Amino acid sequence: MGKQQAIGIIDSGVGGLTVAREVIRQLPREQIVYFGDNARCPYGSRSVEEIRMFTNQMVQFVQCYPIKALVIACNTAAAVVLEEVREQTAVPVIGVIEPGARAAISASRMGRIGIIGTETTIRVGAYQRVLHRLKPDLYTVGMACPSFVPLVESGMYHAPEARRIVEETIAPLVHEELDTLILGCTHYPLLAPLIEQVIGGEVTLISSAEETARELSALLSLHDLHAEDTTEKPKHRFFTSGDEQIFRQIGEEWLGFAIDVEAKSLEEIVPAASSNW
Ligand code: DGL
């Protein structure tokens, strides 16, 4: 593994860009290879078997590019297969759940933490498990928000009905007297302004992105893998199994710079997975 190799980042779609942005901000010398499986998004309402298979295919795909570390920037995938991917992958692997849980605990003043995420992330209790392991006396409440990911993936998160959908979905949480709300899906930071309007400015919103990038940095230090400073700007690569235009539009808006996006058909990804290259 070389220091100049890239960081692999995978997600079911554009959500992992919220993590990519933070990695680029905190680790500007690092180069990113990103894969978004937009064609099969959302993962959150799929079976555990499908999530496992699709995630393994994404992992195989990004490993076609020399990467030195892998970030599973998808709570749903991390909730289901993080340990398994760690065991099977030669490079260090991190997820987004532990970093998000830690950030929430340090932000929480009264120990009342809400978690919003996909159906799978909430159903398997991924955050609750980590939160209670780290601090057993917390009050936690989880809520699945299945309508949020399609809103983001379609680029409709600025549309007027987005506010109505967010309001209707998370209204029950308003009465929970939370002090902290974990955005337990990497797509949700794109809806953060709307979520904040509904839940109230006194509730701290936690996105795993910052803490995940910090953990990645620590991991690179541990393995002595931080990229060397060179005169060349890192060249990030973005791949999607879906529509490159929509991916580029959301990616450029979120990252704040122009990106090259390459579409990969599922046929190009799945053989890569099965032949293990
Ligand atoms: N962005 C993903 C997550 O963090 C998954 C969304 C989905 O595909 O349902 O859970």
Side-chain angles (χ1 to χ4, degrees), residues 170-244:
I170 64 171
L173 288 180
V174 173
H175 309 291
E176 287 282 353
E177 296 180 3
L178 303 173
D179 62 55
T180 306
L181 180 65
I182 299 177
L183 307 180
C185 170
T186 50
H187 282 69
Y188 296 179
L190 285 107
L191 294 168
L194 297 178
I195 295 170
E196 189 170 14
Q197 279 171 30
V198 176
I199 201 79
E202 66 290 351
V203 178
T204 309
L205 300 188
I206 300 291
S207 136
S208 305
E210 279 177 36
E211 196 62 28
T212 301
R214 263 194 288 277
E215 190 166 301
L216 173 66
S217 177
L219 196 72
L220 295 178
S221 301
L222 183 73
H223 295 273
D224 191 22
L225 280 174
H226 278 286
E228 308 276 3
D229 206 358
T230 66
T231 48
E232 270 176 53
K233 261 180 86 180
K235 187 169 170 1
H236 308 302
R237 302 186 70 165
F238 296 89
F239 298 96
T240 174
S241 59
D243 184 301
E244 358 173 354

Side-chain angles (χ1 to χ4, degrees), residues 2-275:
K3 293 183 180 194
Q4 301 313 110
Q5 288 181 350
I7 308 291
I9 302 183
I10 57 172
D11 179 47
S12 60
V14 292
L17 290 170
T18 60
V19 177
R21 180 170 87 163
E22 199 53 38
V23 171
I24 293 167
R25 193 183 71 78
Q26 289 188 32
L27 303 168
R29 281 188 239 150
E30 302 297 338
Q31 188 183 321
I32 283 170
V33 173
Y34 184 101
F35 180 76
D37 194 6
N38 302 69
R40 298 186 290 193
C41 189
Y43 279 16
S45 46
R46 292 182 181 275
S47 68
V48 162
E49 288 68 35
E50 273 183 314
I51 296 167
R52 175 178 289 123
M53 182 170 82
F54 294 173
T55 306
N56 281 325
Q57 290 169 352
M58 290 198 286
V59 171
Q60 296 293 334
F61 178 77
V62 288
Q63 285 188 283
C64 299
Y65 300 87
I67 59 165
K68 60 183 176 184
L70 174 66
V71 183
I72 303 188
C74 176
N75 291 267
T76 310
V80 172
V81 286
L82 176 64
E83 286 315 317
E84 208 174 297
V85 172
R86 266 192 185 137
E87 279 163 24
Q88 291 165 9
T89 309
V91 299
V93 180
I94 61 169
V96 281
I97 292 174
E98 284 244 4
R102 265 198 299 276
I105 289 173
S106 50
S108 176
R109 303 170 307 276
M110 299 174 315
R112 296 185 69 84
I113 301 179
I115 307 113
I116 52 175
T118 66
E119 284 159 295
T120 300
T121 303
I122 299 301
R123 192 183 63 244
V124 303
Y127 272 97
Q128 285 93 326
R129 216 174 20 252
V130 179
L131 286 166
H132 289 287
R133 193 186 75 222
L134 297 173
K135 200 162 189 281
D137 59 344
L138 293 170
Y139 171 76
T140 61
V141 56
M143 172 179 278
C145 304
S147 52
F148 287 7
V149 169
L151 213 54
V152 172
E153 283 289 314
S154 61
M156 296 289 286
Y157 52 98
H158 293 309
E161 63 264 39
R163 154 96 206 203
R164 184 187 52 77
I165 294 172
V166 170
E167 191 158 14
E168 279 175 13
T169 311
I170 64 171
L173 288 180
V174 173
H175 309 291
E176 287 282 353
E177 296 180 3
L178 303 173
D179 62 55
T180 306
L181 180 65
I182 299 177
L183 307 180
C185 170
T186 50
H187 282 69
Y188 296 179
L190 285 107
L191 294 168
L194 297 178
I195 295 170
E196 189 170 14
Q197 279 171 30
V198 176
I199 201 79
E202 66 290 351
V203 178
T204 309
L205 300 188
I206 300 291
S207 136
S208 305
E210 279 177 36
E211 196 62 28
T212 301
R214 263 194 288 277
E215 190 166 301
L216 173 66
S217 177
L219 196 72
L220 295 178
S221 301
L222 183 73
H223 295 273
D224 191 22
L225 280 174
H226 278 286
E228 308 276 3
D229 206 358
T230 66
T231 48
E232 270 176 53
K233 261 180 86 180
K235 187 169 170 1
H236 308 302
R237 302 186 70 165
F238 296 89
F239 298 96
T240 174
S241 59
D243 184 301
E244 358 173 354
Q245 296 295 354
I246 297 181
F247 190 100
R248 181 176 304 108
Q249 188 193 318
I250 297 174
E252 291 185 348
E253 181 191 326
W254 187 252
L255 296 171
F257 56 84
I259 57 173
D260 287 329
V261 183
E262 244 180 87
K264 289 278 172 193
S265 66
L266 288 176
E267 290 71 34
E268 287 174 277
I269 296 153
V270 177
S274 55
S275 67

